[in-house]
Amino acid sequence: MTTVYKMHRFAAVGLMALAFISALLAVAAPAFTPVASAQGDLITTEDLLPTEFSENVGLGNADVRVTIANIIKAALSFLGIVAVCFVLYGGVKWMTAGGNTEGAKEAQKIMISALIGLAIILSAWAITS
Protein backbone atom coordinates (compact mmCIF):
# COMPACT_ATOMS: atom_id res chain seq x y z
CA MET A 1 0.00 0.00 0.00
CA THR A 2 1.21 3.44 -0.76
CA THR A 3 1.57 6.04 1.92
CA VAL A 4 -0.99 8.30 0.23
CA TYR A 5 -3.59 5.50 0.18
CA LYS A 6 -2.98 4.84 3.88
CA MET A 7 -3.48 8.54 4.64
CA HIS A 8 -6.74 8.58 2.64
CA ARG A 9 -7.98 5.50 4.45
CA PHE A 10 -7.06 7.01 7.82
CA ALA A 11 -8.81 10.25 6.89
CA ALA A 12 -11.92 8.34 5.76
CA VAL A 13 -12.13 6.39 9.00
CA GLY A 14 -11.58 9.56 11.02
CA LEU A 15 -14.28 11.44 9.13
CA MET A 16 -16.76 8.61 9.54
CA ALA A 17 -16.03 8.38 13.27
CA LEU A 18 -16.41 12.14 13.62
CA ALA A 19 -19.65 12.06 11.64
CA PHE A 20 -21.05 9.26 13.80
CA ILE A 21 -20.16 11.03 17.05
CA SER A 22 -21.56 14.37 15.89
CA ALA A 23 -24.79 12.73 14.71
CA LEU A 24 -25.20 11.02 18.08
CA LEU A 25 -24.59 14.28 19.92
CA ALA A 26 -27.03 16.16 17.70
CA VAL A 27 -29.79 13.60 18.24
CA ALA A 28 -29.15 12.79 21.90
CA ALA A 29 -28.81 16.33 23.27
CA PRO A 30 -32.11 18.19 23.02
CA ALA A 31 -32.18 21.82 24.07
CA PHE A 32 -33.77 22.72 27.38
CA THR A 33 -36.13 25.66 27.25
CA PRO A 34 -36.70 27.30 30.64
CA VAL A 35 -40.35 27.58 31.64
CA ALA A 36 -41.71 30.67 33.38
CA SER A 37 -44.14 30.24 36.24
CA ALA A 38 -47.29 32.29 36.71
CA GLN A 39 -45.34 34.76 38.86
CA GLY A 40 -42.80 35.27 36.06
CA ASP A 41 -39.78 33.61 37.69
CA LEU A 42 -38.13 30.62 36.07
CA ILE A 43 -38.99 27.14 37.21
CA THR A 44 -35.92 25.10 38.06
CA THR A 45 -35.54 21.37 37.60
CA GLU A 46 -36.09 20.85 41.33
CA ASP A 47 -39.60 22.31 40.96
CA LEU A 48 -40.58 19.86 38.25
CA LEU A 49 -41.80 16.32 38.66
CA PRO A 50 -40.00 13.73 36.47
CA THR A 51 -42.86 13.48 33.99
CA GLU A 52 -43.15 17.25 33.68
CA PHE A 53 -39.41 17.53 33.22
CA SER A 54 -39.39 15.02 30.37
CA GLU A 55 -42.25 16.82 28.66
CA ASN A 56 -40.59 20.24 29.00
CA VAL A 57 -37.21 19.00 27.78
CA GLY A 58 -38.77 17.25 24.81
CA LEU A 59 -37.84 13.69 25.72
CA GLY A 60 -41.32 12.35 25.20
CA ASN A 61 -42.54 8.91 26.15
CA ALA A 62 -41.66 6.93 23.03
CA ASP A 63 -40.39 3.38 23.20
CA VAL A 64 -36.64 3.09 23.74
CA ARG A 65 -36.31 0.76 20.73
CA VAL A 66 -37.91 3.35 18.46
CA THR A 67 -35.62 6.06 19.79
CA ILE A 68 -32.52 3.91 19.23
CA ALA A 69 -33.73 3.04 15.72
CA ASN A 70 -34.14 6.74 14.94
CA ILE A 71 -30.63 7.47 16.19
CA ILE A 72 -29.23 4.66 14.05
CA LYS A 73 -31.14 5.92 11.00
CA ALA A 74 -29.80 9.44 11.50
CA ALA A 75 -26.23 8.16 11.84
CA LEU A 76 -26.56 5.95 8.76
CA SER A 77 -28.02 8.84 6.76
CA PHE A 78 -25.06 11.02 7.65
CA LEU A 79 -22.60 8.23 6.84
CA GLY A 80 -24.34 7.74 3.50
CA ILE A 81 -23.71 11.40 2.71
CA VAL A 82 -20.05 10.98 3.66
CA ALA A 83 -19.77 7.90 1.41
CA VAL A 84 -21.29 9.78 -1.55
CA CYS A 85 -18.78 12.58 -0.94
CA PHE A 86 -15.97 10.02 -1.15
CA VAL A 87 -17.36 8.71 -4.45
CA LEU A 88 -17.36 12.27 -5.77
CA TYR A 89 -13.84 12.83 -4.45
CA GLY A 90 -12.64 9.68 -6.23
CA GLY A 91 -14.30 10.83 -9.45
CA VAL A 92 -12.67 14.25 -9.30
CA LYS A 93 -9.33 12.64 -8.51
CA TRP A 94 -9.73 10.31 -11.49
CA MET A 95 -10.63 13.15 -13.84
CA THR A 96 -7.70 15.26 -12.70
CA ALA A 97 -5.19 12.40 -12.92
CA GLY A 98 -4.08 13.77 -16.29
CA GLY A 99 -3.16 10.43 -17.84
CA ASN A 100 -1.21 9.29 -14.78
CA THR A 101 -2.07 5.61 -14.39
CA GLU A 102 -1.06 5.53 -10.71
CA GLY A 103 -3.38 8.44 -9.94
CA ALA A 104 -6.22 6.82 -11.88
CA LYS A 105 -5.75 3.47 -10.10
CA GLU A 106 -5.71 5.21 -6.74
CA ALA A 107 -8.90 7.07 -7.64
CA GLN A 108 -10.51 3.79 -8.70
CA LYS A 109 -9.59 2.22 -5.35
CA ILE A 110 -11.14 5.17 -3.51
CA MET A 111 -14.32 4.94 -5.56
CA ILE A 112 -14.62 1.16 -5.17
CA SER A 113 -14.06 1.40 -1.41
CA ALA A 114 -16.63 4.19 -1.13
CA LEU A 115 -19.18 2.22 -3.18
CA ILE A 116 -18.67 -0.87 -1.01
CA GLY A 117 -19.14 1.30 2.07
CA LEU A 118 -22.26 2.84 0.56
CA ALA A 119 -23.68 -0.63 -0.14
CA ILE A 120 -23.02 -1.65 3.48
CA ILE A 121 -24.62 1.55 4.77
CA LEU A 122 -27.69 1.10 2.56
CA SER A 123 -28.11 -2.52 3.63
CA ALA A 124 -27.78 -1.54 7.31
CA TRP A 125 -30.37 1.19 6.76
CA ALA A 126 -32.72 -1.31 5.09
CA ILE A 127 -32.32 -3.73 8.02
CA THR A 128 -32.96 -0.94 10.51
CA SER A 129 -36.06 0.19 8.65
Side-chain angles (χ1 to χ4, degrees):
M1 256 189 249
T2 64
T3 307
V4 175
Y5 182 70
K6 287 181 184 178
M7 289 183 348
H8 285 296
R9 196 169 69 182
F10 180 72
V13 170
L15 283 175
M16 287 187 181
L18 181 65
F20 183 72
I21 291 170
S22 63
L24 282 178
L25 290 176
V27 172
F32 176 71
T33 306
V35 179
S37 67
Q39 291 82 16
D41 53 341
L42 292 179
I43 297 174
T44 62
T45 56
E46 292 85 23
D47 299 332
L48 298 174
L49 295 173
T51 56
E52 293 170 347
F53 178 74
S54 66
E55 290 172 3
N56 289 328
V57 172
L59 293 176
N61 55 358
D63 189 17
V64 174
R65 294 173 291 186
V66 173
T67 304
I68 292 173
N70 288 337
I71 291 170
I72 291 172
K73 286 180 185 179
L76 289 174
S77 298
F78 191 73
L79 289 176
I81 292 170
V82 171
V84 169
C85 289
F86 272 108
V87 170
L88 292 174
Y89 169 71
V92 169
K93 190 168 180 77
W94 193 354
M95 293 180 70
T96 58
N100 184 5
T101 57
E102 293 242 350
K105 285 182 182 180
E106 185 178 334
Q108 285 176 347
K109 287 181 184 178
I110 292 171
M111 289 179 63
I112 290 171
S113 298
L115 289 173
I116 291 171
L118 189 60
I120 292 170
I121 291 168
L122 287 174
S123 63
W125 184 79
I127 289 170
T128 305
S129 294

